[in-house]
Amino acid sequence: MAEKLKVELVTPYRKVLSEEADEITATGALGEFGVLPGHAPFLTSLKIGELSYKQNGQVHHLAVNWGYFEVEGDKVTVLVETAERADEIDLERAKAALGRAETQLKSLTPEDHNFRVYEAALERALIRVQVAGKAKL
Amino acid sequence: MANLKAIKKRIVSVKNTGQITKAMKMVSAAKLRRAQENVVAARPYAGKLGEVLERLAKSQESDPSPLMVKRDGGRALLVVVTSDRGLCGGFNANIIKAAERFIKGRSGEFKEITLLTLGRKGYEFLRNRHTVRKHHGDVFSTLSYPTAALVAREIIEGYLAEEYDEVFVLYNAFRSVMSQDITLEQLLPVVPKAVETEEQAVEYIYEPSKAALLDELLPKHIEVQLFKALLESVAAEHGARMTAMDSASKNAAEMIGKLTLIYNRARQAAITTELMEIISGAESIKG
């Protein structure tokens, strides 16, 4: 059994992570899950959410957008549309986006075409704020 | 004397043109570097997504996704990727020629071929000759993943509405600064590469389900493929422009050399004639 997981996190723009980790948690289509070394082959889609990995006792957080998560042997591949490390997040911008999305949502009904768009924006902004908050701890 | 002045004017004008082409070359070189970085950065994502897709498609048993089913309607959509701007050698002409070849060569196979153009140059040429279903003008000035995804989703919608039965994309792939490869790829239906030899299929845990994953992944795959084609095309465009402008600058320098030679010769001839006139004038006074 492998001691560590080799994590690769890629977006269309760049390779965000290529590290070794002891443990990974992420938000999958069916809820949050954790992966330890020796996990069975596993493939799931990710929702807008938080992805964190533990490395030498230290936990790192990232905000990720829609994507895929694959475990094969000790290799973990994460494909996401966007990913930001906690320390990369612009908290002011995220808060502004949160406010914008909230006001938009209030003026729309759930039947509206744009409702889903703003709902997703709200979710993204919430996760960003949440993850950014963890960076300071 | 008028001749001398005319030559001088030519030299100045060629020099100015040379300066412009040189500047354009430098700009393209800088843009090329950035475009190349983007292409390289996008590669791992596209590669990994392809791998995941292959694995999923390989182990798929029943009722495949509509995006994978082959239909024989005989209507094709060709996505032609050119640039918005010219002055890049044969970059656009090559793609347009390849598109015409495709339309002519495959007309037996398909009963209808419509086009979707990305980039102004291709649209302007092709709109009067063939059926252009749709044109997206402003993809390159703001090229990002969401823009590519938007176009891709539109293509998929058309496909699902059975407006066409096969989709191809034609673009310049970036090989090196000097050369571009004209590449034709099939976007739809998605044909997973059949490489099922060495390893036996590992039993995966799929969440939520294999079919649901595949349904989500296929459109994503098409988006990424289109995005990659656009990135490659942009890098190839800058490479082509850089080469074209480099040779234009060289030609300008050569022309200036030639013109200077002619200018100096004409100047010398004028001086000689003048001298002769003075000497012969002086001689006649003396005598």
Side-chain angles (χ1 to χ4, degrees):
Chain A
M1 195 178 88
E3 300 277 288
K4 291 208 178 229
L5 291 160
K6 281 196 202 79
V7 190
E8 276 199 11
L9 194 151
V10 287
T11 71
Y13 300 106
R14 67 201 169 116
K15 197 181 247 179
V16 182
L17 277 186
S18 183
E19 312 247 3
E20 294 206 326
D22 302 307
E23 184 188 342
I24 306 165
T25 40
T27 321
L30 302 181
E32 201 170 302
F33 62 89
V35 172
L36 289 166
H39 198 286
F42 176 56
L43 182 70
T44 181
S45 56
L46 291 178
K47 289 204 295 198
I48 297 165
E50 187 187 332
L51 186 140
S52 55
Y53 63 98
K54 207 181 195 178
Q55 192 178 38
N56 304 326
Q58 211 186 344
V59 186
H60 303 260
H61 299 275
L62 292 110
V64 296
N65 208 338
W66 195 95
Y68 279 89
F69 189 100
E70 188 192 16
V71 186
E72 190 192 14
D74 58 347
K75 243 173 54 200
V76 175
T77 311
V78 189
L79 296 167
V80 283
E81 274 179 5
T82 62
E84 289 156 295
R85 287 167 192 268
D87 47 11
E88 283 172 355
I89 293 170
D90 186 342
L91 193 58
E92 293 303 311
R93 240 190 85 201
K95 277 188 179 151
L98 188 68
R100 254 202 323 278
E102 267 172 353
T103 42
Q104 284 288 352
L105 276 179
K106 270 180 202 144
S107 64
L108 293 169
T109 54
E111 289 81 49
D112 214 305
H113 181 67
N114 278 333
F115 190 82
R116 293 283 309 270
V117 177
Y118 286 111
E119 207 173 39
L122 181 74
E123 243 178 287
R124 275 199 300 275
L126 264 176
I127 290 291
R128 280 212 183 94
V129 172
Q130 187 185 325
V131 171
K134 285 187 182 161
K136 300 216 173 70
L137 300 179
Chain B
M1 280 307 164
N3 190 25
L4 265 185
K5 215 173 166 192
I7 296 171
K8 187 101 196 177
K9 242 173 135 181
R10 271 298 294 285
I11 292 178
V12 171
S13 110
V14 172
K15 218 180 236 166
N16 284 339
T17 313
Q19 247 155 20
I20 292 167
T21 57
K22 215 166 158 187
M24 281 185 77
K25 186 195 147 194
M26 308 274 241
V27 171
S28 288
K31 283 189 179 167
L32 170 68
R33 232 197 44 227
R34 212 162 339 129
Q36 237 175 315
E37 278 166 16
N38 285 343
V39 170
V40 172
R43 255 177 216 158
Y45 188 80
K48 292 270 193 249
L49 197 63
E51 273 174 40
V52 176
L53 179 78
E54 254 170 56
R55 189 162 311 123
L56 264 175
K58 201 159 66 177
S59 56
Q60 229 226 342
E61 50 286 332
S62 59
D63 73 282
S65 151
L67 293 177
M68 291 175 75
V69 182
K70 230 175 141 72
R71 296 199 296 250
D72 0 278
R75 291 160 307 164
L77 177 77
L78 182 66
V79 182
V80 184
V81 185
T82 55
S83 70
D84 281 337
R85 281 184 293 164
L87 290 180
C88 41
F91 180 83
N92 292 311
N94 287 340
I95 281 292
I96 289 166
K97 258 189 253 159
E100 301 241 274
R101 252 204 318 275
F102 179 88
I103 293 165
K104 231 189 219 156
R106 308 285 280 267
S107 57
E109 194 179 328
F110 299 110
K111 66 171 193 268
E112 180 196 87
I113 299 175
T114 48
L115 303 173
L116 187 146
T117 50
L118 299 170
R120 196 169 54 86
K121 285 284 159 186
Y123 174 64
E124 278 174 4
F125 184 87
L126 293 165
R127 68 175 159 191
N128 296 323
R129 290 170 178 77
H130 305 285
T131 0
V132 176
R133 178 187 290 276
K134 187 89 199 264
H135 168 64
H136 287 276
D138 218 24
V139 276
F140 292 110
S141 54
T142 57
L143 181 58
S144 62
Y145 187 75
T147 7
L150 217 65
V151 178
R153 242 168 274 152
E154 203 180 282
I155 294 172
I156 295 167
E157 268 165 37
Y159 182 80
L160 289 177
E162 306 212 356
E163 284 171 31
Y164 31 78
D165 306 296
E166 270 177 77
V167 181
F168 297 90
V169 57
L170 186 68
Y171 66 98
N172 274 304
F174 178 81
R175 197 169 68 192
S176 72
V177 179
M178 299 291 288
S179 68
Q180 299 87 38
D181 285 332
I182 294 174
T183 312
L184 180 74
E185 271 169 15
Q186 182 161 12
L187 273 190
L188 282 165
V190 177
V191 190
K193 280 179 232 128
V195 275
E196 209 181 333
T197 40
E198 358 74 74
E199 41 162 339
Q200 75 285 13
V202 192
E203 218 21 75
Y204 268 78
I205 304 167
Y206 294 101
E207 234 174 66
S209 74
K210 206 187 275 183
L213 278 174
L214 198 60
D215 278 350
E216 259 188 90
L217 196 128
L218 281 169
K220 217 35 53 172
H221 174 68
I222 289 153
E223 285 171 15
V224 169
Q225 266 203 308
L226 190 70
F227 182 56
K228 211 187 88 199
L230 291 177
L231 284 179
E232 292 255 3
S233 176
V234 168
E237 178 196 339
H238 290 310
R241 180 166 297 122
M242 201 178 118
T243 325
M245 287 303 117
D246 186 45
S247 66
S249 304
K250 268 194 203 126
N251 287 345
E254 196 182 308
M255 196 144 172
I256 289 170
K258 267 189 201 152
L259 284 172
T260 314
L261 193 69
I262 295 170
Y263 175 79
N264 283 339
R265 265 198 207 131
R267 195 172 60 102
Q268 192 140 35
I271 292 168
T272 315
T273 343
E274 235 172 87
L275 272 177
M276 294 275 274
E277 273 165 14
I278 292 167
I279 291 166
S280 61
E283 284 289 316
S284 71
I285 290 165
K286 227 192 260 171

